[in-house]
Amino acid sequence: VMNEYQEEMMINPPCGGVMELRKSISSYLKEFCAMYVRPEQIIIGAGSQVLYQLVVQLLGRQKVYAIETPGYPLLAKMYAALNAKFCLIPVDEQGVNVGALMESNADILHVMPSHQFPTGAVMSASRRRELLNWTREAPGRFIIEDDYDSEFRMHGRPVATLFGIDAAGKVLYLNSFAKSLGSAFRIAYLVLPESLAQRFNAELGFYSNTVSPLDQLALAPF
């Protein structure tokens, strides 16, 4: 990579990351997850926590973020540290309890449908449709789909993502290479629906990308 991309490594990448890696992830998502996204919709960050912070800035601290309980304990601490409002929604055997979600005043749902932490449950197809319907019932509602640990399955292809079956542009998809390459390899990616991708570039495009171009260029062909 150092031999082939000498000029590229002398230039700061755009906020979203090196285009070679974004194109590679776009192709990977198409083949592996049946997700059809443009590279420009993909944002590279130094781990999921960095991307969480960008999402809160993009969607707004005045929104109410719903998180699963039991769930990933870091999320509540993160939203509290960012001065973002949040509420806890219980999880049953099919996933997030939609009744409890509808009774809450949540605007954004942060959910792990493919492999819920810590239960390991896979959200049912009917529950996924209910959640997508929930986003359409009021303006400004979105789902943050945290696809934690989705690549590792004993058999068959991965379960369809919420992003892949969403026709209304209401899902943000988040994943990382922490499980496949190791937690020390601090690279994660966020896929935004088209409308939010344009807004991200307009409002947050001034940020410097947080991942070394060398690491991004090395990961792209891998």
Side-chain angles (χ1 to χ4, degrees), residues 21-216:
L21 178 56
R22 295 159 85 182
K23 289 179 179 177
S24 183
I25 292 174
S26 175
S27 298
Y28 166 78
L29 291 174
K30 178 182 178 181
E31 178 179 355
F32 195 71
C33 302
M35 289 172 55
Y36 298 88
V37 300
R38 298 186 305 110
E40 291 79 7
Q41 294 175 249
I42 299 172
I43 311 298
I44 310 297
S48 298
Q49 295 178 37
V50 169
L51 296 176
Y52 291 151
Q53 296 177 47
L54 291 176
V55 167
V56 171
Q57 291 183 60
L58 179 64
L59 298 180
R61 289 181 173 84
Q62 73 280 8
K63 300 287 187 179
V64 178
Y65 294 78
I67 56 180
E68 298 169 307
T69 183
Y72 189 36
L74 174 67
L75 291 178
K77 295 179 180 179
M78 180 204 67
Y79 284 121
L82 293 171
N83 294 318
K85 300 175 183 178
F86 67 93
C87 61
L88 303 178
I89 307 296
V91 175
D92 59 30
E93 63 278 1
Q94 294 189 61
V96 167
N97 187 301
V98 178
L101 176 64
M102 295 181 70
E103 291 176 1
S104 73
N105 59 343
D107 304 294
I108 315 294
L109 172 63
H110 194 134
V111 65
M112 297 180 177
S114 296
H115 189 174
Q116 203 273 338
F117 182 90
T119 67
V122 177
M123 185 179 292
S124 68
S126 60
R127 186 61 53 87
R128 291 168 188 250
R129 288 192 294 271
E130 288 181 275
L131 293 182
L132 291 176
N133 289 336
W134 170 81
T135 64
R136 299 184 180 99
E137 291 174 358
R141 285 182 177 175
F142 289 95
I143 294 174
I144 302 170
E145 179 179 14
D146 197 336
D147 210 10
Y148 167 79
D149 214 10
S150 65
E151 288 87 356
F152 295 92
R153 295 179 59 79
M154 297 303 293
H155 59 83
R157 296 183 63 83
V159 178
T161 63
L162 280 168
F163 189 103
I165 62 176
D166 171 37
K170 290 288 190 173
V171 178
L172 296 75
Y173 177 88
L174 182 69
N175 206 338
S176 79
F177 298 95
K179 287 292 182 181
S180 54
L181 295 179
S183 58
F185 199 80
R186 303 297 300 168
I187 296 185
Y189 59 94
L190 170 69
V191 184
L192 298 171
E194 286 281 2
S195 60
L196 289 183
Q198 296 173 13
R199 194 167 124 199
F200 180 92
N201 290 326
E203 298 179 7
L204 302 177
F206 63 89
Y207 277 121
S208 298
N209 188 261
T210 54
V211 180
S212 162
L214 175 60
D215 290 344
Q216 294 187 58

